[in-house]
Amino acid sequence: MPRFADILLPLALEEALTYGVPADLQLVVGQRVVVQLGKRKRYTGFVVRLHDEVPAEGVELKFVEEVVDATPLLREEQLRFWEWLSQYYMCTKGEVLKAALPSGLKLESEMRLTRSESPTQVEEMTPLQRQVFQLLDVEKPITLDDIASKLQRASIINTVRQMIERGWVEVREAMRESFRARTETYVKLPDAVVLEDKIDVLFDSLRKGGKPYALLLAYTDLARATTALRLRNPKLLAEVSRAQLLQRVEGGDAALRALIEKGYLESYAVEVGRLKTCAATETLGMRPLNDHQQRALGQIHASFEQHDITLLHGVTSSGKTEVYMKLIEEVLAQGKQVLYMLPEIALTTQITTRLGRVFGDKMGVYHSKFPDAERVELWQRQLTDKAFPLILGVRSSLFLPFQNLGLIIVDEEHESSYKQQDPAPRYHARDAALVLAQQLGAKVLLGTATPSLESYYKARQGRYGLVEMRERFGGVQLPEIIVEDVKELKRKKMMKTPFSPRLKDEIAGALERKEQAILFLNRRGYSPVLDCHKCGWTPKCSQCDVSLTYHQREQRLVCHYCGKSYDVPRTCPNCHEADFRDIGYGTEKIQAAIEAVFPNARTARMDLDTTRSRAAYEQIIRKFQQGETDILIGTQMLTKGLDFDRVSVVGIINADQLTNMPDFRAHERAFQMLSQVAGRAGRRGKQGKVVLQTRQVDHPLTNQVVTNDFFGMYAEQMQERQYFRYPPFYRVINIYLKHRDDRTVEAAAAYLASLLRPHFPTDLLGPERPLVARVQLQYIRKFVLKVAPNFLPASVRTTLRAAYNVMRNHPDFKGLTIYYDVDPL
């Protein structure tokens, strides 16, 4: 038995910590254990390595105190993948662990306990549990550490956890295991009654016609007790839930409690799953692929013979999802698992229904909008022999335990939502999926109508396979795109609303034909700027260097960087006038404007403000899909592959906003976003219309979008990227420094530059103040490091980590935050 264990904690620690293993503990890699850190704190961590290597002399060795789980919650393949994530994206292993696990699998520190207010059976407790119970008070919570100290025990986590599960103890604050299995109460006849055939005795002791008599009669019927009693075999009784029984006898709660207290019936808890599954209602055989889909499927199979990664470039509405489903069916038939990844939670609403009809209860769904208990349950199920063979999820689904992964589908692979921004690990789920697949021996299919330039470049270079679908399903034409010159229309005073005359006419026509319209503007809120008409004063966030966005419905000014909100000022603090103007448009203002133009139209808005819960997403999409909404206004959420039958008109309110960004990817992203939102029009047997409003009708992007010229855009952008040394020709790493004092962060940036410049004399840009130079009271400096292809990634990481360690230990830079964003978007 190994004497030492390396335990990984969900903290920003560089490495796992070594603990001793008591002789009476049997540990396995992947198990959760309780360990002490510091003088008093206790945490749950994961065993990542067992060994006999004696720690360095002088190191105080602590021992593992308790084992939380009988079986491992992590697989060794997961740990290997997480190791790669921490190295490539330059963060700690603890940060990866913290991001990967549902919070229900992490015991939080500072547990505070009280007695339960409900009646408690003290006689059922163990002696130690009774001691704990006597220390507790209903009104005054006591910490776990205090209980352990008074009982002179190092740790009593498992003892207390059992008391929580029995309902004897309540948790007021966090170290708790936040996941508790969901249970349902069932009732049954005592075994002695069945074995000795005493049912008639029970009935004779009850008054005929009373509720206890009716309950016992109803139970024998539901449990199909006749055979069990005749054969005197309790195992033949059907299970009967308390809820089922009380449905038969209305108002029988008190009578049921009396039957249980007298021993006529027994109650017991049964763990029930929270996971909802679909019922399969059709098979793929009922929806055969058409010729061009079948051709694409054959090309994918051929590509997988030569490449582990294939890019499927199919125009919007070409039927890529049907091809995905056929591939899924084939992989599942081989006994392997499939991970189907989407960039946004909003998309899972539609695709869940679509895949659920075909694959039914073979599919599990995993994303952060689900209750934590459901995510814990799915995680645990994936470790069993009842694991879902198909997982549908967003980027966090990469962290799940897979036992036999055969295929990863990354739908809408170009989407920036696949990139995690904050906190660490700042990983790109598409790129991480390629590594996970390589480690597990799986294939990857990247699908999109507008590939990222990096992926398309690798496909053209032969590093990925490439399959193209250039026809829309059913022969539907791509939408007609009408360009409206906003600058000219305003000069001629023909545009008094945010909508051009042509856009209003097209929407009116769609409404008259009982069709639907979508309006796209990638800015939420009512107005991005509120200013004083007299002096020009603009309210700004007290914590960030940004103007506040006006949200009319809440009558609040909100910072979209830190989330802080403010009251709308009644008068200007600068000139004391009360004359404010809202400048610019957000989705809320567009909704108000469209309701003024079409007062009888039913409108809805889909942006971050209206979709903060899973139910909100689902309700908006369901109502629009069922025709209960006529006009849907939204941000980039609308561009991500949603499929609506009745949409005939799409209006793009301000195309220029997308191109006027200080980012080398601005042109690419604008093309992708505009092409994707245009693809929502005319998807079922009819050509749709898109009205694109812009002030720059001669911009190259405008013509590329109108003609759907992805190849022209690709060639133009690749030439620029190569000349200016950007991806895919160079890798980019952004380096950020943050501190509450502007002078300190300025000095720290200069010092870091002196450390790095000798290693990267021409490829290190900065330091500079970013566009938003202060967020949440932290002043920011930024470097951009362009890494040439001849640089070894490992040597670059070594240099950056060495500089990081020097900065962290510098006495002048206490409180300084430094982090790396590898392959930023």
Side-chain angles (χ1 to χ4, degrees):
M1 178 65 193
R3 293 184 295 157
F4 304 102
D6 290 347
I7 309 299
L8 185 60
L9 300 175
L11 303 170
L13 302 174
E14 289 291 338
E15 296 292 340
L17 303 178
T18 300
Y19 287 82
V21 180
D24 60 337
L25 285 187
Q26 299 292 318
L27 298 186
V28 180
V29 170
Q31 276 182 312
R32 274 190 304 176
V33 294
V34 177
V35 294
Q36 183 179 353
L37 183 66
K39 291 184 178 180
R40 292 180 61 85
K41 297 289 184 183
R42 284 178 172 79
Y43 293 90
T44 52
F46 285 82
V47 179
V48 294
R49 181 171 169 252
L50 295 166
H51 58 90
D52 287 310
E53 298 171 14
V54 180
E57 191 175 343
V59 174
E60 181 187 354
L61 183 68
K62 294 184 173 69
F63 284 80
V64 174
E65 296 181 354
E66 294 181 74
V67 178
V68 179
D69 306 291
T71 56
L73 281 179
L74 300 182
R75 296 172 59 83
E76 292 195 37
E77 295 88 347
Q78 287 174 281
L79 294 172
R80 188 167 67 248
F81 175 54
W82 297 0
E83 172 82 20
W84 175 84
L85 281 170
S86 69
Q87 287 186 358
Y88 185 84
Y89 290 103
M90 302 188 66
C91 63
T92 68
K93 297 182 182 71
E95 287 172 318
V96 176
L97 176 67
K98 189 173 183 179
L101 290 174
S103 56
L105 292 180
K106 294 175 283 192
L107 290 182
E108 302 165 6
S109 61
E110 297 302 317
M111 175 188 269
R112 287 180 176 269
L113 307 167
T114 66
R115 283 190 191 182
S116 171
E117 295 182 4
S118 59
T120 302
Q121 306 298 323
V122 179
E123 61 274 11
E124 296 179 16
M125 297 181 184
T126 66
L128 179 56
Q129 288 173 342
R130 276 199 286 271
Q131 285 181 285
V132 172
F133 192 73
Q134 288 165 5
L135 288 174
L136 300 178
D137 186 283
V138 175
E139 299 296 331
K140 297 177 182 177
I142 185 172
T143 67
L144 186 71
D145 280 346
D146 286 342
I147 297 171
S149 175
K150 289 179 180 180
L151 296 180
Q152 297 182 344
R153 288 179 173 268
S155 176
I156 53 168
I157 287 178
N158 277 341
T159 298
V160 170
R161 190 168 55 137
Q162 292 164 9
M163 297 177 74
I164 292 169
E165 289 170 354
R166 295 294 299 270
W168 299 335
V169 170
E170 293 181 354
V171 179
R172 289 292 173 89
E173 293 181 17
M175 182 145 175
R176 72 180 186 278
E177 185 172 13
S178 55
F179 172 73
R180 291 176 61 185
R182 183 179 177 184
T183 59
E184 189 172 346
T185 301
Y186 279 68
V187 295
K188 70 183 186 73
L189 281 173
D191 287 353
V193 172
V194 181
L195 293 170
E196 300 171 21
D197 194 13
K198 291 184 177 179
I199 190 68
D200 291 335
V201 175
L202 297 187
F203 275 114
D204 290 343
S205 65
L206 298 173
R207 181 175 59 84
K208 271 193 175 182
K211 283 189 177 176
Y213 188 96
L215 281 166
L216 193 59
L217 191 64
Y219 170 80
T220 57
D221 180 37
L222 289 167
R224 297 190 289 278
T226 304
T227 303
L229 291 165
R230 179 166 49 83
L231 299 176
R232 300 192 178 189
N233 187 349
K235 294 180 179 179
L236 297 178
L237 291 170
E239 288 198 314
V240 178
S241 71
R242 181 179 182 276
Q244 279 179 293
L245 192 53
L246 291 177
Q247 278 182 348
R248 286 283 191 98
V249 182
E250 189 176 347
D253 302 61
L256 180 58
R257 281 198 300 271
L259 285 175
I260 293 170
E261 287 172 7
K262 291 178 180 178
Y264 289 13
L265 291 174
E266 292 178 350
S267 68
Y268 61 101
V270 174
E271 185 174 328
V272 294
R274 295 176 173 85
L275 300 178
K276 301 175 182 65
T277 57
C278 304
T281 58
E282 61 183 58
T283 65
L284 284 173
M286 295 168 60
R287 298 185 64 178
L289 303 182
N290 65 19
D291 289 343
H292 82 274
Q293 288 173 322
Q294 193 66 52
R295 186 165 56 249
L297 181 64
Q299 291 172 351
I300 291 170
H301 285 146
S303 176
F304 278 155
E305 293 292 325
Q306 304 294 325
H307 301 91
D308 290 331
I309 305 163
T310 294
L311 174 64
L312 175 60
H313 178 198
V315 298
T316 55
S317 198
S318 58
K320 294 187 292 295
T321 304
E322 282 76 16
V323 175
Y324 298 155
M325 289 195 290
K326 185 63 178 174
L327 277 171
I328 292 168
E329 183 192 44
E330 293 171 353
V331 175
L332 297 190
Q334 297 167 16
K336 295 183 178 181
Q337 292 174 298
V338 177
L339 171 59
Y340 188 138
M341 291 178 61
L342 294 163
E344 286 275 3
I345 292 168
L347 289 183
T348 61
T349 300
Q350 277 200 329
I351 203 70
T352 298
T353 303
R354 201 164 171 183
L355 295 183
R357 286 198 299 263
V358 177
F359 299 106
D361 58 8
K362 294 178 181 178
M363 180 181 70
V365 183
Y366 188 83
H367 61 63
S368 60
K369 291 288 184 183
F370 277 10
D372 190 71
E374 287 187 28
R375 290 190 290 145
V376 169
E377 197 164 316
L378 188 142
W379 184 293
Q380 293 176 330
R381 177 166 174 168
Q382 293 309 100
L383 291 164
T384 71
D385 57 1
K386 295 181 179 178
F388 288 113
L390 169 61
I391 292 291
L392 174 66
V394 291
R395 60 176 181 249
S396 59
S397 57
L398 278 175
F399 296 118
L400 285 168
F402 292 99
Q403 300 183 46
N404 189 19
L405 189 63
L407 174 67
I408 301 177
I409 296 171
V410 184
D411 199 8
E412 308 293 344
E413 67 85 25
H414 66 280
E415 271 294 340
S416 59
S417 302
Y418 279 123
K419 173 72 171 177
Q420 163 75 9
Q421 301 297 341
D422 280 306
R426 296 171 179 85
Y427 68 102
H428 196 301
R430 177 199 62 208
D431 299 342
L434 306 183
V435 175
L436 178 65
Q438 181 187 37
Q439 291 181 350
L440 299 182
K443 301 291 186 181
V444 181
L445 182 65
L446 308 175
T448 179
T450 52
S452 64
L453 298 190
E454 288 92 332
S455 294
Y456 197 71
Y457 174 78
K458 290 173 183 175
R460 292 282 292 266
Q461 294 291 309
R463 293 163 62 184
Y464 298 171
L466 177 62
V467 175
E468 297 189 296
M469 298 173 68
R470 300 193 182 185
E471 300 175 35
R472 282 187 134 195
F473 187 84
V476 178
Q477 292 179 299
L478 287 167
E480 176 190 358
I481 300 181
I482 303 151
V483 179
E484 288 283 77
D485 188 341
V486 172
K487 187 176 180 181
E488 184 65 13
L489 288 170
K490 288 196 172 183
R491 188 185 69 80
K492 294 179 178 179
K493 303 188 184 303
M494 296 175 63
M495 197 169 162
K496 297 179 181 179
T497 69
F499 319 112
S500 68
R502 180 64 182 269
L503 178 55
K504 286 192 287 187
D505 289 345
E506 294 295 345
I507 294 173
L511 295 176
E512 192 174 329
R513 296 188 299 272
K514 305 297 182 186
E515 295 170 345
Q516 294 170 304
I518 285 177
L519 297 178
F520 168 70
L521 177 67
N522 200 31
R523 178 172 282 157
R524 63 188 176 100
Y526 188 84
S527 173
V529 178
L530 197 69
D531 82 342
C532 174
H533 198 183
K534 183 176 181 181
C535 71
W537 174 83
T538 298
K540 293 188 175 181
C541 180
S542 62
Q543 299 187 150
C544 312
D545 285 342
V546 291
S547 300
L548 298 171
T549 300
Y550 175 46
H551 289 249
Q552 188 185 62
R553 181 165 295 182
E554 293 83 15
Q555 281 298 302
R556 302 288 289 170
L557 296 170
V558 180
C559 174
H560 285 179
Y561 279 80
C562 70
K564 187 175 175 63
S565 68
Y566 304 79
D567 292 328
V568 178
R570 295 185 178 182
T571 60
C572 172
N574 189 44
C575 67
H576 306 294
E577 292 291 327
D579 186 8
F580 289 102
R581 297 178 300 180
D582 49 85
I583 299 173
Y585 294 97
T587 49
E588 189 181 358
K589 194 173 185 178
I590 293 297
Q591 184 178 18
I594 203 70
E595 287 173 349
V597 176
F598 300 103
N600 297 322
R602 298 164 297 176
T603 67
R605 180 163 50 95
M606 191 163 83
D607 55 27
L608 185 62
D609 298 318
T610 62
T611 56
R612 295 193 182 274
S613 69
R614 178 181 58 164
Y617 273 113
E618 294 174 351
Q619 185 178 30
I620 291 169
I621 292 170
R622 178 184 57 78
K623 285 189 173 183
F624 194 65
Q625 197 164 24
Q626 294 177 355
E628 297 175 30
T629 304
D630 300 315
I631 304 172
L632 182 61
I633 303 101
T635 57
Q636 62 179 346
M637 291 180 183
L638 296 173
T639 70
K640 302 178 192 298
L642 294 171
D643 186 4
F644 301 114
D645 293 348
R646 302 178 182 87
V647 175
S648 61
V649 177
V650 169
I652 299 170
I653 303 302
N654 184 4
D656 310 311
Q657 173 196 346
L658 302 174
T659 57
N660 298 332
M661 299 292 290
D663 184 352
F664 73 92
R665 285 195 175 92
H667 191 105
E668 174 194 5
R669 282 190 188 158
F671 178 88
Q672 290 167 340
M673 204 171 289
L674 295 176
S675 298
Q676 289 282 346
V677 75
R680 303 313 109 204
R683 298 174 64 86
R684 286 292 183 272
K686 178 179 177 181
Q687 185 183 30
K689 291 186 178 179
V690 178
V691 179
L692 190 154
Q693 298 184 172
T694 177
R695 293 174 177 269
Q696 305 175 74
V697 292
D698 297 325
H699 196 288
L701 175 70
T702 305
N703 183 60
Q704 289 165 356
V705 172
V706 169
T707 58
N708 194 36
D709 186 13
F710 171 81
F711 306 103
M713 185 275 293
Y714 169 80
E716 174 193 280
Q717 289 299 301
M718 281 296 101
Q719 190 175 8
E720 285 189 14
R721 298 273 184 97
Q722 189 166 23
Y723 182 79
F724 290 106
R725 297 184 298 180
Y726 279 114
F729 305 102
Y730 276 62
R731 285 180 57 225
V732 172
I733 300 174
N734 286 344
I735 307 169
Y736 290 92
L737 295 86
K738 294 183 178 181
H739 198 276
R740 292 178 72 91
D741 181 71
D742 193 34
R743 288 173 296 182
T744 300
V745 77
E746 181 75 21
Y751 187 65
L752 181 59
S754 71
L755 295 174
L756 295 179
R757 197 81 67 190
H759 301 279
F760 311 104
T762 60
D763 294 326
L764 182 68
L765 308 180
E768 64 176 2
R769 293 174 184 266
L771 193 62
V772 179
R774 187 178 64 126
V775 175
Q776 292 183 310
L777 299 176
Q778 297 273 323
Y779 292 91
I780 307 169
R781 295 296 183 274
K782 175 185 175 183
F783 292 87
V784 177
L785 176 61
K786 296 181 179 179
V787 182
N790 60 325
F791 274 69
L792 291 174
S795 66
V796 173
R797 286 196 295 269
T798 301
T799 302
L800 293 179
R801 285 193 181 280
Y804 173 84
N805 291 330
V806 170
M807 296 293 295
R808 195 173 66 170
N809 296 322
H810 197 290
D812 293 341
F813 304 137
K814 291 181 179 178
L816 181 73
T817 299
I818 306 175
Y819 65 87
Y820 303 102
D821 188 2
V822 180
D823 301 335
L825 288 183

